[in-house]
Amino acid sequence: MSPKLPSHLFPWLILLTFASLCFFYSFLSLNTFSSSSSSSSSPTSYYNCNLFRGQWVLDPDRTPLYDQTCPFHRNAWNCLRNDRQNMSFINSWKWVPHNCHLPRIDPFRFLPLVRNRNIAFVGDSLNENFLVSFLCILRVADHGAKRWKKKGAWRGAYFPNFNVTVAYHRAVLLSKYQWQPKQSEAGIQDGSEGFYRVDVDVPADEWAKIAGFYDVLVFNTGHWWNNDKFPKEKPLVFYKAGQPIIPPLGVLDGLKVVLTHMITYIQKEFPGKTLKFWRLQSPRHFYGGDWNQNGSCLFNTPLEENEEQRSQQGSKAVELCDRRGITKNRHSSS
């Protein structure tokens, strides 16, 4: 179980969670409510609905909003083009909140509503995955969409019919970090030995100077904060104001300190009119090894409430986040 966050972070996280609710309504669920919906599915009742309490429902009539021709996928990520097994079954799951209606995004309504605005995702590959699906959905309403990569963006797209830019800035820890080679007593550097220096009060270069360009920003971090990414022989060492933090911080304590400083930086440096949101982690779900150890995602059904692992021959225990985190990440990328 992850250690508790310091109490002074709770107001920020509560605010960010509430803002995320508004985000899913305003930016990812812009359909009109169908005439067949009950009167309880009005916009007013929608805002009073807890979108993260519900269940996954199998809908055999549900299909992706885009096909394998979308140009914004990495080739290895294009499950439709690569004929991943059971894709039609996997794509048939939908998230249904209790006591309220959650419509699918309508790109033909979304793009006109965000005309002349720019949206960015900042963080690790979870945000990149979200971005790719998002771009492919929006392209349905603007086939003139072009690849876009400026202002430090890792990747993105420009939708000329609406003057809308959607981009991803890769910053896996959010804070700036770099490899620090070990020096011998003679002052000679050994590039194979050393540590990763993390400046907890300095944002990564990839997003430090984007304030003022984007109207909406979605941040995330989490999956890189472990000994798998940064083993003990090449650890994270945390610095503040240019000096090592003493006593040294562990990985999870370092995450808490980084979150504190990055939230402060975002609130200080980004205009108040910029909408800022936070995404939680999704669970890890590899079988037969981790993501970089020939692991595979073999399951066709969503995790059940409070499910921590799927027991199959030699499978690793699935790391499970809080149910709200699962829901938020999964239904947002559908």
Side-chain angles (χ1 to χ4, degrees), residues 23-260:
F23 174 75
F24 282 106
Y25 175 76
S26 301
F27 288 91
L28 298 182
S29 300
L30 293 171
N31 265 351
T32 55
F33 292 90
S34 65
S35 59
S36 60
S37 299
S38 65
S39 59
S40 64
S41 295
S42 65
T44 300
S45 64
Y46 189 93
Y47 275 112
N48 295 328
C49 172
N50 185 345
L51 298 180
F52 310 127
R53 293 294 181 184
Q55 62 184 352
W56 290 99
V57 174
L58 188 64
D59 180 359
D61 296 326
R62 187 180 180 89
T63 58
L65 296 174
Y66 56 88
D67 60 27
Q68 69 273 15
T69 63
C70 178
F72 301 120
H73 277 294
R74 295 187 191 182
N75 289 333
W77 289 9
N78 195 330
C79 295
L80 295 174
R81 180 182 298 168
N82 294 328
D83 295 325
R84 174 176 171 168
Q85 294 182 357
N86 296 332
M87 274 304 296
S88 59
F89 184 82
I90 294 171
N91 283 325
S92 295
W93 290 97
K94 66 179 180 181
W95 178 252
V96 179
H98 295 316
N99 302 320
C100 60
H101 176 59
L102 177 64
R104 298 186 79 175
I105 182 174
D106 181 352
F108 293 96
R109 291 201 66 225
F110 180 91
L111 283 173
L113 288 172
V114 297
R115 186 185 298 274
N116 300 323
R117 292 181 173 86
N118 303 316
I119 303 168
F121 297 85
V122 179
D124 60 29
S125 59
L126 290 183
N127 259 358
E128 184 178 3
N129 292 343
F130 188 108
L131 171 96
V132 169
S133 179
F134 194 36
L135 295 181
C136 290
I137 289 172
L138 297 184
R139 178 176 173 267
V140 173
D142 187 353
H143 282 280
K146 303 175 182 178
R147 295 180 186 273
W148 187 91
K149 188 177 181 181
K150 296 179 182 178
K151 292 186 178 293
W154 178 272
R155 61 191 310 185
Y158 175 67
F159 299 87
N161 291 342
F162 303 91
N163 191 31
V164 171
T165 298
V166 183
Y168 165 64
H169 292 258
R170 180 177 171 84
V172 297
L173 302 183
L174 292 184
S175 285
K176 182 176 182 179
Y177 81 99
Q178 58 187 337
W179 175 248
Q180 195 90 1
K182 181 180 179 180
Q183 289 190 346
S184 66
E185 294 181 358
I188 301 175
Q189 290 186 350
D190 182 355
S192 63
E193 295 186 11
F195 60 89
Y196 285 97
R197 168 176 170 168
V198 181
D199 288 275
V200 299
D201 51 349
V202 181
D205 292 340
E206 288 77 6
W207 69 277
K209 299 179 180 180
I210 62 174
F213 180 75
Y214 293 107
D215 303 281
V216 181
L217 289 160
V218 183
F219 295 92
N220 90 304
T221 188
H223 275 307
W224 280 65
W225 293 87
N226 58 65
N227 292 327
D228 174 46
K229 297 288 188 180
F230 299 100
K232 293 182 179 180
E233 60 271 17
K234 295 182 178 180
L236 297 176
V237 178
F238 300 94
Y239 282 64
K240 180 181 178 181
Q243 299 297 321
I245 295 177
I246 303 296
L249 300 176
V251 172
L252 293 181
D253 287 329
L255 169 60
K256 287 186 268 186
V257 175
V258 165
L259 287 176
T260 301

